Amino acid sequence: MESCIFCKIIAGDIPSEKVYEDDRFFAFRDINPKAPSHFLVIPKEHLPGVAKLSDNPELLGQLMILSVRLAHEEGLADSGYRLVINQGEDGGQSVAHLHVHVLGGRALAWPPG
Ligand code: 5GP
Ligand code: ZN
């Protein structure tokens, strides 16, 4: 999708610090990290958010499995980490391209603000 910043990051039109890439998924460090480790895992297919995934459990499953794998490759398996998907305005979603936040490297507060 032309106007989407995450599609531009996948295409390399906006630079990013890449963590992982394969034919379906891309991961890169968040530009405004909220924890010592904070990266985003996204499908290359432009989907606006998790709310649009009711008909695609396979993609959501692969996205979550990959997020766990990358969290462990980041060295977070023992200390723990958090996977977050924000949906819509009240969920705090600011970019309308489905993404999983992987956060770790410090104790994270709960509940979120
Ligand atoms: P959301 O608020 O939609 O759940 O998360 C969007 C995330 O994308 C935010 O944490 C924000 O810092 C990150 N972000 C927005 N624009 C860019 C960018 O151009 N590059 C990178 N690396 N991250 C971005
Ligand atoms: Zn997009």
Side-chain angles (χ1 to χ4, degrees):
M1 196 209 213
E2 275 174 28
S3 62
C4 170
I5 56 171
F6 285 1
C7 284
K8 288 180 181 167
I9 285 174
I10 293 165
D13 295 338
I14 295 176
S16 70
E17 194 179 337
K18 183 162 81 174
V19 171
Y20 175 85
E21 181 173 14
D22 65 23
D23 56 331
R24 296 177 74 196
F25 299 101
F26 194 90
F28 56 102
R29 300 209 177 269
D30 197 293
I31 203 168
N32 184 16
K34 301 293 191 290
S37 290
H38 185 183
F39 56 91
L40 305 171
V41 188
I42 66 177
K44 288 187 170 175
E45 178 185 352
H46 178 87
L47 295 163
V50 74
K52 297 292 180 196
L53 268 177
S54 54
D55 59 347
N56 203 340
E58 197 261 340
L59 180 84
L60 183 58
Q62 291 300 324
L63 180 65
M64 298 307 283
I65 289 166
L66 176 59
S67 299
V68 168
R69 191 181 120 200
L70 295 178
H72 292 198
E73 288 179 7
E74 182 84 349
L76 302 172
D78 290 341
S79 53
Y81 50 89
R82 189 172 291 166
L83 306 183
V84 174
I85 300 177
N86 296 324
Q87 170 61 45
E89 194 177 343
D90 279 0
Q93 184 179 12
S94 61
V95 178
H97 182 128
L98 175 63
H99 50 282
V100 177
H101 294 260
V102 180
L103 295 142
R106 67 171 173 84
L108 299 165
W110 189 263

PDB file of all heavy atoms in Angstrom, residues 3-38:
ATOM      1  N   SER A   3       0.839   4.475   0.642  1.00  0.00           N
ATOM      2  CA  SER A   3       0.975   5.506   1.671  1.00  0.00           C
ATOM      3  C   SER A   3       1.386   4.956   3.034  1.00  0.00           C
ATOM      4  O   SER A   3       1.592   5.720   3.969  1.00  0.00           O
ATOM      5  CB  SER A   3      -0.359   6.253   1.809  1.00  0.00           C
ATOM      6  OG  SER A   3      -1.348   5.328   2.214  1.00  0.00           O
ATOM      7  N   CYS A   4       1.537   3.644   3.137  1.00  0.00           N
ATOM      8  CA  CYS A   4       1.786   3.013   4.442  1.00  0.00           C
ATOM      9  C   CYS A   4       3.286   3.028   4.769  1.00  0.00           C
ATOM     10  O   CYS A   4       4.105   2.522   3.984  1.00  0.00           O
ATOM     11  CB  CYS A   4       1.249   1.587   4.414  1.00  0.00           C
ATOM     12  SG  CYS A   4       1.730   0.601   5.841  1.00  0.00           S
ATOM     13  N   ILE A   5       3.636   3.571   5.943  1.00  0.00           N
ATOM     14  CA  ILE A   5       5.068   3.679   6.266  1.00  0.00           C
ATOM     15  C   ILE A   5       5.708   2.298   6.462  1.00  0.00           C
ATOM     16  O   ILE A   5       6.876   2.118   6.128  1.00  0.00           O
ATOM     17  CB  ILE A   5       5.334   4.573   7.506  1.00  0.00           C
ATOM     18  CG1 ILE A   5       4.579   4.112   8.723  1.00  0.00           C
ATOM     19  CG2 ILE A   5       5.030   6.015   7.219  1.00  0.00           C
ATOM     20  CD1 ILE A   5       5.015   4.847   9.985  1.00  0.00           C
ATOM     21  N   PHE A   6       4.959   1.334   6.978  1.00  0.00           N
ATOM     22  CA  PHE A   6       5.558   0.008   7.156  1.00  0.00           C
ATOM     23  C   PHE A   6       5.751  -0.684   5.807  1.00  0.00           C
ATOM     24  O   PHE A   6       6.738  -1.415   5.618  1.00  0.00           O
ATOM     25  CB  PHE A   6       4.732  -0.849   8.116  1.00  0.00           C
ATOM     26  CG  PHE A   6       4.883  -0.452   9.571  1.00  0.00           C
ATOM     27  CD1 PHE A   6       5.694   0.616   9.954  1.00  0.00           C
ATOM     28  CD2 PHE A   6       4.222  -1.154  10.564  1.00  0.00           C
ATOM     29  CE1 PHE A   6       5.838   0.987  11.293  1.00  0.00           C
ATOM     30  CE2 PHE A   6       4.359  -0.806  11.904  1.00  0.00           C
ATOM     31  CZ  PHE A   6       5.165   0.266  12.271  1.00  0.00           C
ATOM     32  N   CYS A   7       4.852  -0.476   4.851  1.00  0.00           N
ATOM     33  CA  CYS A   7       5.079  -1.004   3.496  1.00  0.00           C
ATOM     34  C   CYS A   7       6.323  -0.357   2.889  1.00  0.00           C
ATOM     35  O   CYS A   7       7.097  -1.028   2.196  1.00  0.00           O
ATOM     36  CB  CYS A   7       3.853  -0.770   2.613  1.00  0.00           C
ATOM     37  SG  CYS A   7       2.477  -1.906   2.942  1.00  0.00           S
ATOM     38  N   LYS A   8       6.526   0.916   3.174  1.00  0.00           N
ATOM     39  CA  LYS A   8       7.737   1.595   2.663  1.00  0.00           C
ATOM     40  C   LYS A   8       8.996   1.050   3.324  1.00  0.00           C
ATOM     41  O   LYS A   8      10.045   0.944   2.690  1.00  0.00           O
ATOM     42  CB  LYS A   8       7.637   3.110   2.906  1.00  0.00           C
ATOM     43  CG  LYS A   8       6.633   3.788   1.988  1.00  0.00           C
ATOM     44  CD  LYS A   8       6.561   5.281   2.273  1.00  0.00           C
ATOM     45  CE  LYS A   8       5.539   5.937   1.358  1.00  0.00           C
ATOM     46  NZ  LYS A   8       5.204   7.300   1.791  1.00  0.00           N
ATOM     47  N   ILE A   9       8.906   0.694   4.609  1.00  0.00           N
ATOM     48  CA  ILE A   9      10.054   0.088   5.301  1.00  0.00           C
ATOM     49  C   ILE A   9      10.371  -1.274   4.680  1.00  0.00           C
ATOM     50  O   ILE A   9      11.535  -1.588   4.406  1.00  0.00           O
ATOM     51  CB  ILE A   9       9.767  -0.014   6.816  1.00  0.00           C
ATOM     52  CG1 ILE A   9       9.907   1.387   7.449  1.00  0.00           C
ATOM     53  CG2 ILE A   9      10.692  -1.015   7.491  1.00  0.00           C
ATOM     54  CD1 ILE A   9       9.510   1.466   8.902  1.00  0.00           C
ATOM     55  N   ILE A  10       9.347  -2.080   4.421  1.00  0.00           N
ATOM     56  CA  ILE A  10       9.557  -3.400   3.783  1.00  0.00           C
ATOM     57  C   ILE A  10      10.241  -3.217   2.430  1.00  0.00           C
ATOM     58  O   ILE A  10      11.166  -3.950   2.075  1.00  0.00           O
ATOM     59  CB  ILE A  10       8.206  -4.139   3.606  1.00  0.00           C
ATOM     60  CG1 ILE A  10       7.613  -4.504   4.962  1.00  0.00           C
ATOM     61  CG2 ILE A  10       8.390  -5.377   2.726  1.00  0.00           C
ATOM     62  CD1 ILE A  10       6.144  -4.899   4.899  1.00  0.00           C
ATOM     63  N   ALA A  11       9.801  -2.212   1.678  1.00  0.00           N
ATOM     64  CA  ALA A  11      10.346  -1.967   0.333  1.00  0.00           C
ATOM     65  C   ALA A  11      11.745  -1.354   0.381  1.00  0.00           C
ATOM     66  O   ALA A  11      12.419  -1.271  -0.653  1.00  0.00           O
ATOM     67  CB  ALA A  11       9.393  -1.061  -0.440  1.00  0.00           C
ATOM     68  N   GLY A  12      12.161  -0.895   1.568  1.00  0.00           N
ATOM     69  CA  GLY A  12      13.469  -0.245   1.681  1.00  0.00           C
ATOM     70  C   GLY A  12      13.433   1.233   1.338  1.00  0.00           C
ATOM     71  O   GLY A  12      14.477   1.893   1.286  1.00  0.00           O
ATOM     72  N   ASP A  13      12.249   1.785   1.119  1.00  0.00           N
ATOM     73  CA  ASP A  13      12.125   3.211   0.790  1.00  0.00           C
ATOM     74  C   ASP A  13      12.311   4.081   2.031  1.00  0.00           C
ATOM     75  O   ASP A  13      12.658   5.250   1.922  1.00  0.00           O
ATOM     76  CB  ASP A  13      10.757   3.501   0.155  1.00  0.00           C
ATOM     77  CG  ASP A  13      10.606   2.799  -1.183  1.00  0.00           C
ATOM     78  OD1 ASP A  13      11.655   2.462  -1.788  1.00  0.00           O
ATOM     79  OD2 ASP A  13       9.460   2.550  -1.613  1.00  0.00           O
ATOM     80  N   ILE A  14      12.017   3.520   3.217  1.00  0.00           N
ATOM     81  CA  ILE A  14      12.336   4.171   4.492  1.00  0.00           C
ATOM     82  C   ILE A  14      13.342   3.256   5.190  1.00  0.00           C
ATOM     83  O   ILE A  14      13.085   2.055   5.328  1.00  0.00           O
ATOM     84  CB  ILE A  14      11.077   4.350   5.372  1.00  0.00           C
ATOM     85  CG1 ILE A  14      10.093   5.316   4.715  1.00  0.00           C
ATOM     86  CG2 ILE A  14      11.456   4.833   6.771  1.00  0.00           C
ATOM     87  CD1 ILE A  14       8.781   5.476   5.470  1.00  0.00           C
ATOM     88  N   PRO A  15      14.497   3.791   5.599  1.00  0.00           N
ATOM     89  CA  PRO A  15      15.495   2.931   6.236  1.00  0.00           C
ATOM     90  C   PRO A  15      15.025   2.417   7.589  1.00  0.00           C
ATOM     91  O   PRO A  15      14.257   3.094   8.291  1.00  0.00           O
ATOM     92  CB  PRO A  15      16.720   3.841   6.389  1.00  0.00           C
ATOM     93  CG  PRO A  15      16.264   5.224   6.149  1.00  0.00           C
ATOM     94  CD  PRO A  15      14.946   5.186   5.453  1.00  0.00           C
ATOM     95  N   SER A  16      15.460   1.220   7.947  1.00  0.00           N
ATOM     96  CA  SER A  16      15.138   0.657   9.265  1.00  0.00           C
ATOM     97  C   SER A  16      16.270  -0.259   9.680  1.00  0.00           C
ATOM     98  O   SER A  16      17.089  -0.671   8.845  1.00  0.00           O
ATOM     99  CB  SER A  16      13.821  -0.124   9.219  1.00  0.00           C
ATOM    100  OG  SER A  16      13.984  -1.327   8.473  1.00  0.00           O
ATOM    101  N   GLU A  17      16.299  -0.578  10.962  1.00  0.00           N
ATOM    102  CA  GLU A  17      17.288  -1.526  11.476  1.00  0.00           C
ATOM    103  C   GLU A  17      16.653  -2.912  11.469  1.00  0.00           C
ATOM    104  O   GLU A  17      15.891  -3.265  12.373  1.00  0.00           O
ATOM    105  CB  GLU A  17      17.724  -1.118  12.891  1.00  0.00           C
ATOM    106  CG  GLU A  17      18.967  -1.849  13.348  1.00  0.00           C
ATOM    107  CD  GLU A  17      19.419  -1.429  14.748  1.00  0.00           C
ATOM    108  OE1 GLU A  17      19.064  -0.314  15.173  1.00  0.00           O
ATOM    109  OE2 GLU A  17      20.078  -2.228  15.410  1.00  0.00           O
ATOM    110  N   LYS A  18      16.948  -3.661  10.428  1.00  0.00           N
ATOM    111  CA  LYS A  18      16.281  -4.946  10.210  1.00  0.00           C
ATOM    112  C   LYS A  18      16.737  -5.987  11.227  1.00  0.00           C
ATOM    113  O   LYS A  18      17.929  -6.114  11.502  1.00  0.00           O
ATOM    114  CB  LYS A  18      16.572  -5.425   8.790  1.00  0.00           C
ATOM    115  CG  LYS A  18      15.870  -6.713   8.413  1.00  0.00           C
ATOM    116  CD  LYS A  18      15.830  -6.923   6.908  1.00  0.00           C
ATOM    117  CE  LYS A  18      17.123  -7.473   6.382  1.00  0.00           C
ATOM    118  NZ  LYS A  18      17.013  -7.811   4.929  1.00  0.00           N
ATOM    119  N   VAL A  19      15.767  -6.737  11.751  1.00  0.00           N
ATOM    120  CA  VAL A  19      16.045  -7.837  12.672  1.00  0.00           C
ATOM    121  C   VAL A  19      15.908  -9.173  11.944  1.00  0.00           C
ATOM    122  O   VAL A  19      16.640 -10.128  12.214  1.00  0.00           O
ATOM    123  CB  VAL A  19      15.072  -7.781  13.873  1.00  0.00           C
ATOM    124  CG1 VAL A  19      15.176  -9.014  14.755  1.00  0.00           C
ATOM    125  CG2 VAL A  19      15.303  -6.521  14.692  1.00  0.00           C
ATOM    126  N   TYR A  20      14.975  -9.251  10.986  1.00  0.00           N
ATOM    127  CA  TYR A  20      14.670 -10.525  10.321  1.00  0.00           C
ATOM    128  C   TYR A  20      13.884 -10.244   9.053  1.00  0.00           C
ATOM    129  O   TYR A  20      13.090  -9.295   8.998  1.00  0.00           O
ATOM    130  CB  TYR A  20      13.823 -11.404  11.262  1.00  0.00           C
ATOM    131  CG  TYR A  20      13.367 -12.693  10.629  1.00  0.00           C
ATOM    132  CD1 TYR A  20      14.194 -13.818  10.623  1.00  0.00           C
ATOM    133  CD2 TYR A  20      12.115 -12.785  10.014  1.00  0.00           C
ATOM    134  CE1 TYR A  20      13.785 -14.999  10.024  1.00  0.00           C
ATOM    135  CE2 TYR A  20      11.698 -13.969   9.408  1.00  0.00           C
ATOM    136  CZ  TYR A  20      12.540 -15.068   9.421  1.00  0.00           C
ATOM    137  OH  TYR A  20      12.138 -16.223   8.827  1.00  0.00           O
ATOM    138  N   GLU A  21      14.067 -11.118   8.056  1.00  0.00           N
ATOM    139  CA  GLU A  21      13.232 -11.041   6.854  1.00  0.00           C
ATOM    140  C   GLU A  21      13.129 -12.408   6.209  1.00  0.00           C
ATOM    141  O   GLU A  21      14.115 -13.145   6.126  1.00  0.00           O
ATOM    142  CB  GLU A  21      13.837 -10.040   5.848  1.00  0.00           C
ATOM    143  CG  GLU A  21      12.999  -9.911   4.582  1.00  0.00           C
ATOM    144  CD  GLU A  21      13.493  -8.810   3.646  1.00  0.00           C
ATOM    145  OE1 GLU A  21      14.628  -8.311   3.820  1.00  0.00           O
ATOM    146  OE2 GLU A  21      12.718  -8.460   2.726  1.00  0.00           O
ATOM    147  N   ASP A  22      11.916 -12.772   5.775  1.00  0.00           N
ATOM    148  CA  ASP A  22      11.758 -13.917   4.866  1.00  0.00           C
ATOM    149  C   ASP A  22      10.726 -13.510   3.821  1.00  0.00           C
ATOM    150  O   ASP A  22      10.428 -12.319   3.675  1.00  0.00           O
ATOM    151  CB  ASP A  22      11.399 -15.211   5.630  1.00  0.00           C
ATOM    152  CG  ASP A  22      10.046 -15.170   6.334  1.00  0.00           C
ATOM    153  OD1 ASP A  22       9.173 -14.372   5.922  1.00  0.00           O
ATOM    154  OD2 ASP A  22       9.846 -15.931   7.303  1.00  0.00           O
ATOM    155  N   ASP A  23      10.192 -14.477   3.087  1.00  0.00           N
ATOM    156  CA  ASP A  23       9.304 -14.100   1.982  1.00  0.00           C
ATOM    157  C   ASP A  23       7.961 -13.532   2.452  1.00  0.00           C
ATOM    158  O   ASP A  23       7.308 -12.809   1.710  1.00  0.00           O
ATOM    159  CB  ASP A  23       9.090 -15.290   1.039  1.00  0.00           C
ATOM    160  CG  ASP A  23       8.546 -16.512   1.760  1.00  0.00           C
ATOM    161  OD1 ASP A  23       8.835 -16.681   2.969  1.00  0.00           O
ATOM    162  OD2 ASP A  23       7.822 -17.295   1.129  1.00  0.00           O
ATOM    163  N   ARG A  24       7.563 -13.805   3.712  1.00  0.00           N
ATOM    164  CA  ARG A  24       6.247 -13.352   4.184  1.00  0.00           C
ATOM    165  C   ARG A  24       6.307 -12.328   5.307  1.00  0.00           C
ATOM    166  O   ARG A  24       5.315 -11.633   5.550  1.00  0.00           O
ATOM    167  CB  ARG A  24       5.428 -14.549   4.686  1.00  0.00           C
ATOM    168  CG  ARG A  24       5.099 -15.559   3.608  1.00  0.00           C
ATOM    169  CD  ARG A  24       4.345 -16.734   4.206  1.00  0.00           C
ATOM    170  NE  ARG A  24       2.976 -16.380   4.532  1.00  0.00           N
ATOM    171  CZ  ARG A  24       2.194 -17.105   5.337  1.00  0.00           C
ATOM    172  NH1 ARG A  24       2.654 -18.184   5.904  1.00  0.00           N
ATOM    173  NH2 ARG A  24       0.955 -16.720   5.578  1.00  0.00           N
ATOM    174  N   PHE A  25       7.427 -12.287   6.034  1.00  0.00           N
ATOM    175  CA  PHE A  25       7.483 -11.456   7.241  1.00  0.00           C
ATOM    176  C   PHE A  25       8.738 -10.593   7.254  1.00  0.00           C
ATOM    177  O   PHE A  25       9.752 -10.901   6.610  1.00  0.00           O
ATOM    178  CB  PHE A  25       7.440 -12.335   8.496  1.00  0.00           C
ATOM    179  CG  PHE A  25       6.180 -13.155   8.611  1.00  0.00           C
ATOM    180  CD1 PHE A  25       6.174 -14.497   8.272  1.00  0.00           C
ATOM    181  CD2 PHE A  25       4.991 -12.564   9.018  1.00  0.00           C
ATOM    182  CE1 PHE A  25       5.005 -15.248   8.356  1.00  0.00           C
ATOM    183  CE2 PHE A  25       3.817 -13.306   9.105  1.00  0.00           C
ATOM    184  CZ  PHE A  25       3.827 -14.650   8.769  1.00  0.00           C
ATOM    185  N   PHE A  26       8.672  -9.528   8.065  1.00  0.00           N
ATOM    186  CA  PHE A  26       9.783  -8.587   8.210  1.00  0.00           C
ATOM    187  C   PHE A  26       9.779  -8.140   9.669  1.00  0.00           C
ATOM    188  O   PHE A  26       8.713  -7.979  10.276  1.00  0.00           O
ATOM    189  CB  PHE A  26       9.525  -7.388   7.274  1.00  0.00           C
ATOM    190  CG  PHE A  26      10.721  -6.497   7.053  1.00  0.00           C
ATOM    191  CD1 PHE A  26      11.611  -6.738   6.012  1.00  0.00           C
ATOM    192  CD2 PHE A  26      10.951  -5.391   7.865  1.00  0.00           C
ATOM    193  CE1 PHE A  26      12.709  -5.907   5.792  1.00  0.00           C
ATOM    194  CE2 PHE A  26      12.039  -4.551   7.659  1.00  0.00           C
ATOM    195  CZ  PHE A  26      12.916  -4.813   6.611  1.00  0.00           C
ATOM    196  N   ALA A  27      10.953  -7.943  10.247  1.00  0.00           N
ATOM    197  CA  ALA A  27      11.046  -7.438  11.626  1.00  0.00           C
ATOM    198  C   ALA A  27      12.134  -6.377  11.687  1.00  0.00           C
ATOM    199  O   ALA A  27      13.184  -6.516  11.031  1.00  0.00           O
ATOM    200  CB  ALA A  27      11.348  -8.577  12.601  1.00  0.00           C
ATOM    201  N   PHE A  28      11.879  -5.334  12.461  1.00  0.00           N
ATOM    202  CA  PHE A  28      12.815  -4.201  12.533  1.00  0.00           C
ATOM    203  C   PHE A  28      12.653  -3.513  13.873  1.00  0.00           C
ATOM    204  O   PHE A  28      11.598  -3.583  14.513  1.00  0.00           O
ATOM    205  CB  PHE A  28      12.545  -3.213  11.385  1.00  0.00           C
ATOM    206  CG  PHE A  28      11.139  -2.691  11.319  1.00  0.00           C
ATOM    207  CD1 PHE A  28      10.844  -1.407  11.781  1.00  0.00           C
ATOM    208  CD2 PHE A  28      10.097  -3.468  10.837  1.00  0.00           C
ATOM    209  CE1 PHE A  28       9.541  -0.925  11.749  1.00  0.00           C
ATOM    210  CE2 PHE A  28       8.792  -2.987  10.798  1.00  0.00           C
ATOM    211  CZ  PHE A  28       8.522  -1.719  11.250  1.00  0.00           C
ATOM    212  N   ARG A  29      13.711  -2.810  14.297  1.00  0.00           N
ATOM    213  CA  ARG A  29      13.693  -2.162  15.614  1.00  0.00           C
ATOM    214  C   ARG A  29      12.790  -0.933  15.595  1.00  0.00           C
ATOM    215  O   ARG A  29      12.769  -0.174  14.615  1.00  0.00           O
ATOM    216  CB  ARG A  29      15.115  -1.790  16.050  1.00  0.00           C
ATOM    217  CG  ARG A  29      15.984  -3.014  16.136  1.00  0.00           C
ATOM    218  CD  ARG A  29      17.098  -2.966  17.138  1.00  0.00           C
ATOM    219  NE  ARG A  29      17.761  -4.271  17.104  1.00  0.00           N
ATOM    220  CZ  ARG A  29      17.437  -5.315  17.865  1.00  0.00           C
ATOM    221  NH1 ARG A  29      16.486  -5.206  18.780  1.00  0.00           N
ATOM    222  NH2 ARG A  29      18.056  -6.477  17.746  1.00  0.00           N
ATOM    223  N   ASP A  30      12.049  -0.771  16.695  1.00  0.00           N
ATOM    224  CA  ASP A  30      11.158   0.380  16.809  1.00  0.00           C
ATOM    225  C   ASP A  30      11.989   1.661  16.894  1.00  0.00           C
ATOM    226  O   ASP A  30      12.986   1.732  17.617  1.00  0.00           O
ATOM    227  CB  ASP A  30      10.268   0.234  18.051  1.00  0.00           C
ATOM    228  CG  ASP A  30       9.052   1.154  17.998  1.00  0.00           C
ATOM    229  OD1 ASP A  30       9.237   2.391  18.062  1.00  0.00           O
ATOM    230  OD2 ASP A  30       7.935   0.636  17.899  1.00  0.00           O
ATOM    231  N   ILE A  31      11.561   2.695  16.176  1.00  0.00           N
ATOM    232  CA  ILE A  31      12.300   3.953  16.133  1.00  0.00           C
ATOM    233  C   ILE A  31      12.244   4.683  17.479  1.00  0.00           C
ATOM    234  O   ILE A  31      13.107   5.523  17.774  1.00  0.00           O
ATOM    235  CB  ILE A  31      11.737   4.837  14.993  1.00  0.00           C
ATOM    236  CG1 ILE A  31      12.767   5.853  14.530  1.00  0.00           C
ATOM    237  CG2 ILE A  31      10.433   5.514  15.390  1.00  0.00           C
ATOM    238  CD1 ILE A  31      12.397   6.553  13.229  1.00  0.00           C
ATOM    239  N   ASN A  32      11.257   4.353  18.298  1.00  0.00           N
ATOM    240  CA  ASN A  32      11.065   5.015  19.594  1.00  0.00           C
ATOM    241  C   ASN A  32      10.911   3.934  20.667  1.00  0.00           C
ATOM    242  O   ASN A  32       9.820   3.703  21.192  1.00  0.00           O
ATOM    243  CB  ASN A  32       9.823   5.910  19.512  1.00  0.00           C
ATOM    244  CG  ASN A  32       9.604   6.712  20.773  1.00  0.00           C
ATOM    245  OD1 ASN A  32      10.510   6.844  21.607  1.00  0.00           O
ATOM    246  ND2 ASN A  32       8.400   7.227  20.942  1.00  0.00           N
ATOM    247  N   PRO A  33      12.021   3.242  20.987  1.00  0.00           N
ATOM    248  CA  PRO A  33      11.904   2.032  21.821  1.00  0.00           C
ATOM    249  C   PRO A  33      11.411   2.330  23.231  1.00  0.00           C
ATOM    250  O   PRO A  33      11.825   3.300  23.855  1.00  0.00           O
ATOM    251  CB  PRO A  33      13.337   1.481  21.829  1.00  0.00           C
ATOM    252  CG  PRO A  33      14.222   2.612  21.444  1.00  0.00           C
ATOM    253  CD  PRO A  33      13.411   3.510  20.574  1.00  0.00           C
ATOM    254  N   LYS A  34      10.521   1.449  23.700  1.00  0.00           N
ATOM    255  CA  LYS A  34       9.947   1.574  25.043  1.00  0.00           C
ATOM    256  C   LYS A  34      10.595   0.613  26.038  1.00  0.00           C
ATOM    257  O   LYS A  34      10.182   0.539  27.196  1.00  0.00           O
ATOM    258  CB  LYS A  34       8.438   1.301  24.986  1.00  0.00           C
ATOM    259  CG  LYS A  34       7.680   2.251  24.055  1.00  0.00           C
ATOM    260  CD  LYS A  34       7.704   3.681  24.593  1.00  0.00           C
ATOM    261  CE  LYS A  34       6.738   4.602  23.851  1.00  0.00           C
ATOM    262  NZ  LYS A  34       7.152   4.894  22.476  1.00  0.00           N
ATOM    263  N   ALA A  35      11.587  -0.136  25.591  1.00  0.00           N
ATOM    264  CA  ALA A  35      12.304  -1.096  26.428  1.00  0.00           C
ATOM    265  C   ALA A  35      13.655  -1.326  25.765  1.00  0.00           C
ATOM    266  O   ALA A  35      13.825  -1.002  24.577  1.00  0.00           O
ATOM    267  CB  ALA A  35      11.511  -2.400  26.530  1.00  0.00           C
ATOM    268  N   PRO A  36      14.632  -1.879  26.505  1.00  0.00           N
ATOM    269  CA  PRO A  36      15.949  -2.112  25.902  1.00  0.00           C
ATOM    270  C   PRO A  36      15.879  -2.932  24.610  1.00  0.00           C
ATOM    271  O   PRO A  36      16.646  -2.684  23.678  1.00  0.00           O
ATOM    272  CB  PRO A  36      16.706  -2.842  27.008  1.00  0.00           C
ATOM    273  CG  PRO A  36      16.088  -2.334  28.280  1.00  0.00           C
ATOM    274  CD  PRO A  36      14.624  -2.175  27.957  1.00  0.00           C
ATOM    275  N   SER A  37      14.991  -3.925  24.575  1.00  0.00           N
ATOM    276  CA  SER A  37      14.692  -4.620  23.321  1.00  0.00           C
ATOM    277  C   SER A  37      13.274  -4.251  22.912  1.00  0.00           C
ATOM    278  O   SER A  37      12.325  -4.480  23.681  1.00  0.00           O
ATOM    279  CB  SER A  37      14.770  -6.142  23.486  1.00  0.00           C
ATOM    280  OG  SER A  37      16.092  -6.556  23.675  1.00  0.00           O
ATOM    281  N   HIS A  38      13.117  -3.677  21.741  1.00  0.00           N
ATOM    282  CA  HIS A  38      11.785  -3.338  21.237  1.00  0.00           C
ATOM    283  C   HIS A  38      11.848  -3.377  19.715  1.00  0.00           C
ATOM    284  O   HIS A  38      12.424  -2.498  19.081  1.00  0.00           O
ATOM    285  CB  HIS A  38      11.354  -1.943  21.716  1.00  0.00           C
ATOM    286  CG  HIS A  38       9.945  -1.586  21.328  1.00  0.00           C
ATOM    287  ND1 HIS A  38       9.386  -0.353  21.619  1.00  0.00           N
ATOM    288  CD2 HIS A  38       8.965  -2.287  20.676  1.00  0.00           C
ATOM    289  CE1 HIS A  38       8.144  -0.313  21.177  1.00  0.00           C
ATOM    290  NE2 HIS A  38       7.866  -1.475  20.588  1.00  0.00           N
TER     291      HIS A  38
END
